[in-house]
């Protein structure tokens, strides 16, 4: 069935809207107003394209329409007359921007500015995620609400407040440099990583996987890698997400139930994504100096899994070493828990259980269902089945995702 004209136009807009918003935001210096002007351009397209036909370059058409409206808005502002006096007689004769920028790199620069603005640390993590998915992912408010299982009004409020906060704090629409850039880049990468993780292993709800969120995050990571080719951690994150996404098809069974790594059919892993991941990891290594960053190290760990033909052939000693390096540069109880799993495979369950028991008092892991889950697995391998059953049952009580809860409950029952 051929897509309806309205559906085709909305699809084009979803693909082009991040660049349109970015290009307009450079003029109006306000992402909220820029989004409204981009929506105005969509309305114009819905009115004109079915009648006149889709233009040869729909992205340029949308950009030109939105930028013309931005120029009109600027000219209507009360402060325009004062600015005329300050800037001189050349400004009134300035023509609106051309339909296509003379230098395509200008658009990319604007897109990069939008990335850093939407992920500004002045916003909460939830607000950054919602705003990024709206402005850069092209998702609607209902789509974001469904993805994160929160009410639509909650998402709408987060987006509105985020745009107001950026305006109130007078956040510059720019790419920071120097130390500020490194700090802000960490926020950008974190947002993309959080979006992917929510799709890869949903924290709550009926479904364990939400592939659409993984795809959105992966697309954002690829865009960022193209915009910042000299940043090793950007390539590290892209590599990590490529590797993780390559296993998506094998991570659930026909009924949607989770399939553990050791039980996955590796022939279902996506070899094209694995190849992309290896290329991105090579770029991260080539462009970095000294010890790799956290995302590059996680990508290297994921690579160990993807290149192994079977679960038994996995290079667990190398993974344990990589987790040690990761713990040194990005200390975290969760990293230590993952290192314990690698140690259990490389050296046996007994030394790993000691590492896990040392984490029992960590406040950050008090309600983390994977801590008793890992402990249960180690106890089971040590033939301490009664204790293992109690740990799996405890893990199931902490799990918020229905599919994970079912898996852990089943593992507890299998320990009888």
């Amino acid at each position: 069935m051929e897509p309806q004209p309205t559906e085709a136009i909305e699809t084009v807009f979803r693909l082009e809207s991040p660049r349109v918003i970015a290009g307009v935001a450079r003029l109006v210096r306000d992402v909220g107003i820029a989004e409204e002007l981009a929506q105005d351009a969509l309305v114009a397209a819905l009115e004109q394209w079915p009648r006149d036909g889709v233009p040869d370059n729909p992205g340029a058409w949308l950009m030109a329409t939105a930028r013309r409206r931005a120029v009109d808005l600027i000219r209507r502002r009360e402060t325009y007359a004062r600015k005329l006096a300050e800037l001189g007689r050349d400004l009134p004769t300035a023509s609106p921007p051309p339909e296509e920028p003379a230098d395509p790199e200008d658009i990319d620069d604007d897109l990069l500015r939008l990335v850093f603005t939407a992920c500004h640390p002045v916003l909460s993590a939830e607000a950054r995620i919602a705003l990024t998915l709206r402005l850069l992912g092209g998702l609607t408010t209902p789509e974001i609400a469904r993805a994160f299982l929160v009410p639509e009004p909650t998402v709408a409020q987060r987006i509105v407040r985020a745009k107001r906060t950026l305006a109130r704090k007078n956040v510059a629409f720019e790419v920071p440099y120097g130390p500020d850039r490194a700090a802000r880049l960490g926020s950008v990468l974190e947002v993309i990583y959080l979006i992917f993780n929510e799709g890869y292993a949903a924290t709550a709800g009926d479904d364990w996987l939400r592939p659409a969120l993984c795809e959105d995050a992966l697309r954002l990571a690829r865009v960022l890698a193209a915009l910042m080719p000299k940043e090793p951690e950007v390539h590290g994150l892209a590599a990590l997400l490529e590797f993780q996404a390559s296993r998506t098809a094998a991570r659930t069974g026909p009924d949607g139930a989770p399939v553990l790594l050791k039980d996955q059919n590796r022939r279902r892993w996506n070899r094209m994504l694995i190849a992309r991941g290896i290329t991105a990891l090579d770029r991260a290594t080539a462009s970095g100096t000294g010890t790799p960053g956290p995302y590059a190290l996680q990508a290297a760990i994921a690579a160990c899994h993807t290149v192994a033909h079977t679960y038994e052939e996995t290079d667990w000693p190398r993974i344990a070493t990589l987790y040690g390096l990761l713990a040194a540069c990005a200390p975290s109880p969760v990293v230590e828990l993952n290192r314990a799993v690698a140690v259990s495979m490389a050296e046996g369950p007994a030394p790993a259980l000691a590492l896990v028991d040392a984490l029992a008092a960590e406040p950050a892991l008090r309600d983390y269902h994977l801590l008793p889950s890992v402990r249960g697995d180690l106890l089971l391998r040590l033939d301490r089945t009664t204790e293992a059953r109690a740990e799996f049952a405890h893990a199931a009580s902490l799990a918020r995702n229905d599919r994970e809860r079912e898996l852990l409950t089943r593992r507890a029952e299998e320990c009888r």
Side-chain angles (χ1 to χ4, degrees):
M1 180 182 295
E2 290 292 326
Q4 296 299 312
T6 298
E7 295 176 356
I9 294 170
E10 290 177 349
T11 299
V12 169
F13 182 76
R14 173 171 290 202
L15 295 172
E16 298 291 343
S17 62
R19 292 178 180 273
V20 174
I21 294 171
V24 175
R26 178 158 56 92
L27 296 176
V28 299
R29 320 301 291 182
D30 186 307
V31 294
I33 295 174
E35 186 187 11
E36 292 174 5
L37 294 170
Q39 290 290 338
D40 288 345
L42 171 62
V43 172
L46 290 170
E47 293 173 350
Q48 297 182 38
W49 292 5
R51 182 186 68 233
D52 303 334
V54 178
D56 293 336
N57 191 334
W61 191 98
L62 290 167
M63 176 72 80
T65 302
R67 294 178 78 180
R68 277 197 296 268
R69 297 188 181 212
V71 171
D72 290 341
L73 176 64
I74 292 171
R75 286 173 172 165
R76 288 197 304 267
R77 286 176 175 173
E78 294 179 354
T79 57
Y80 186 68
R82 178 178 57 80
K83 290 185 176 181
L84 287 181
E86 294 174 353
L87 299 178
R89 55 189 174 84
D90 291 333
L91 186 57
T93 61
S95 59
E99 292 197 3
E100 291 187 76
D103 182 2
E105 291 299 319
D106 288 344
I107 291 182
D108 288 348
D109 290 343
D110 289 340
L111 194 58
L112 193 56
R113 293 185 185 98
L114 183 61
V115 171
F116 276 90
T117 302
C119 299
H120 198 286
V122 74
L123 304 175
S124 68
E126 294 82 4
R128 277 179 271 163
I129 289 172
L131 191 60
T132 299
L133 286 174
R134 177 64 171 267
L135 299 182
L136 292 154
L139 273 67
T140 63
T141 299
E143 287 171 333
I144 300 171
R146 283 197 301 271
F148 285 89
L149 303 179
V150 294
E152 286 183 32
T154 300
V155 173
Q157 289 174 2
R158 286 176 184 173
I159 294 172
V160 169
R161 289 172 182 168
K163 290 187 284 193
R164 287 177 180 170
T165 299
L166 293 175
R168 187 177 68 253
K169 297 287 187 180
N170 199 27
V171 172
F173 187 69
E174 64 181 10
V175 178
Y177 293 92
D180 288 343
R181 178 168 181 163
R184 291 270 296 279
L185 180 59
S187 174
V188 173
L189 299 178
E190 178 190 25
V191 167
I192 297 175
Y193 184 63
L194 289 174
I195 293 171
F196 184 89
N197 276 352
E198 185 58 32
Y200 195 68
T203 55
D206 299 329
D207 300 318
W208 195 40
L209 279 176
R210 297 187 191 130
L213 273 182
C214 293
E215 292 167 6
D216 287 324
L218 188 54
R219 184 172 71 251
L220 291 174
R222 290 169 179 169
V223 168
L224 193 61
L227 297 176
M228 306 183 73
K230 296 182 180 180
E231 292 288 347
E233 274 293 78
V234 172
H235 293 298
L237 177 63
L240 173 61
L241 302 195
E242 299 281 7
F243 286 137
Q244 299 291 68
S246 72
R247 304 203 296 264
T248 299
R251 294 187 72 238
T252 54
D255 60 349
V259 178
L260 299 177
L261 178 63
K262 64 184 178 64
D263 299 323
Q264 289 176 16
N265 180 356
R266 300 191 173 213
R267 287 177 294 182
R268 298 189 66 196
W269 290 2
N270 189 313
R271 292 295 150 187
M272 182 188 72
L273 294 182
I274 291 174
R276 291 181 66 105
I278 292 172
T279 299
L281 184 56
D282 288 342
R283 288 173 180 161
T285 304
S287 57
T289 57
T291 304
Y295 292 111
L297 285 170
Q298 290 179 75
I301 292 168
C304 290
H305 292 295
T306 55
V307 299
H309 294 294
T310 65
Y311 185 75
E312 292 72 22
E313 292 178 18
T314 306
D315 190 348
W316 291 107
R318 174 166 169 74
I319 291 177
T321 299
L322 289 169
Y323 268 121
L325 294 174
L326 181 60
C329 72
S332 161
V334 174
V335 171
E336 286 296 331
L337 182 62
N338 287 328
R339 186 171 75 88
V341 173
V343 168
S344 77
M345 299 304 298
E347 303 175 21
L353 184 60
L355 295 175
V356 171
D357 287 344
L359 297 171
E362 284 286 347
L365 300 181
R366 182 174 300 137
D367 298 320
Y368 189 53
H369 66 287
L370 292 183
L371 176 62
S373 173
V374 169
R375 194 168 190 275
D377 186 67
L378 296 176
L379 290 168
L380 186 61
R381 290 167 59 188
L382 291 168
D383 293 326
R384 294 162 60 176
T385 54
T386 301
E387 295 171 85
R389 182 174 183 273
E391 291 294 336
F392 285 132
H394 180 46
S397 70
L398 295 176
R400 293 169 52 202
N401 182 277
D402 293 343
R403 292 295 190 176
E404 278 193 295
R405 189 183 305 114
E406 292 169 4
L407 171 64
L408 292 166
T409 300
R410 187 169 65 250
R411 296 203 70 188
E413 292 300 319
E414 290 170 352
C415 292
R416 285 185 180 276

